[in-house]
Amino acid sequence: MIALPAYAAHDATGLAQLLRRGEVSPAELAQCARAAVELLNPRLNAVVGPLSGDGAASCEHDAHGPLAGVPFLVKDLVLRARGLPCQMGSRLLADAPAALADASLMARFRHAGFMTLGRTNAAEFGYSVTTEPVLHGPVRNPWDPGLSAGGSSGGAAAAV
């Protein structure tokens, strides 16, 4: 398995190169990404779920895409991803069902090969300069957890 420091040293294209060279498998990358979230998310609150279930519909990806098997998180705002709910950071949508079909952009992400592991925390309906929804709580800045990670895409920013 790839070690967390080696994983963190690569961007998406670097991880894709490791996969193409056979140095790591998609399952190993997914396991490492999940371990990173388990380690950091209690402090950051960037990822709101789900991260379990190898083979789940949300993890399906095109094995021949240029980024085949690279772990990916979807911002929990507007984008519909088959198998994942879209709560838009709002208690109003807390019980939203999982999407039955992908939005066209999500279909393109899957076609590129991204393996979606979960969703990132977002400001309620994206209407705030900070990401502090009542539904999932505030996202914290990785460099200073006493600060916000910023608005709308705070969960995505902190996850990076």
Side-chain angles (χ1 to χ4, degrees), residues 10-157:
H10 292 84
D11 63 7
T13 57
L15 293 174
Q17 287 175 350
L18 294 176
L19 287 161
R20 279 193 297 279
R21 291 194 303 251
E23 295 178 29
V24 66
S25 72
E28 290 172 318
L29 283 185
Q31 183 179 2
C32 190
R34 287 180 179 108
V37 171
E38 288 174 14
L39 177 69
L40 298 172
N41 206 52
R43 184 171 60 113
L44 302 178
N45 196 34
V47 179
V48 295
L51 283 171
S52 60
D54 290 324
S58 61
C59 292
E60 292 173 6
H61 63 282
D62 183 338
H64 302 291
L67 298 165
V70 173
F72 185 67
L73 295 168
V74 176
K75 180 180 174 181
D76 186 33
L77 196 65
V78 182
L79 182 66
R80 300 286 185 235
R82 185 181 71 260
L84 295 176
C86 184
Q87 298 171 320
M88 299 182 68
S90 177
R91 291 178 291 166
L92 181 65
L93 299 172
D95 296 323
L100 298 176
D102 286 335
S104 59
L105 178 58
M106 188 65 216
R108 288 177 180 216
F109 287 146
R110 286 194 210 275
H111 184 69
F114 282 118
M115 182 172 44
T116 305
L117 300 180
R119 301 173 296 127
T120 59
N121 202 348
E124 186 169 14
F125 298 114
Y127 294 128
S128 182
V129 295
T130 62
T131 301
E132 299 176 352
V134 174
L135 177 62
H136 295 296
V139 176
R140 297 295 172 203
N141 185 303
W143 287 274
D144 184 349
L147 300 175
S148 169
S152 186
S153 299

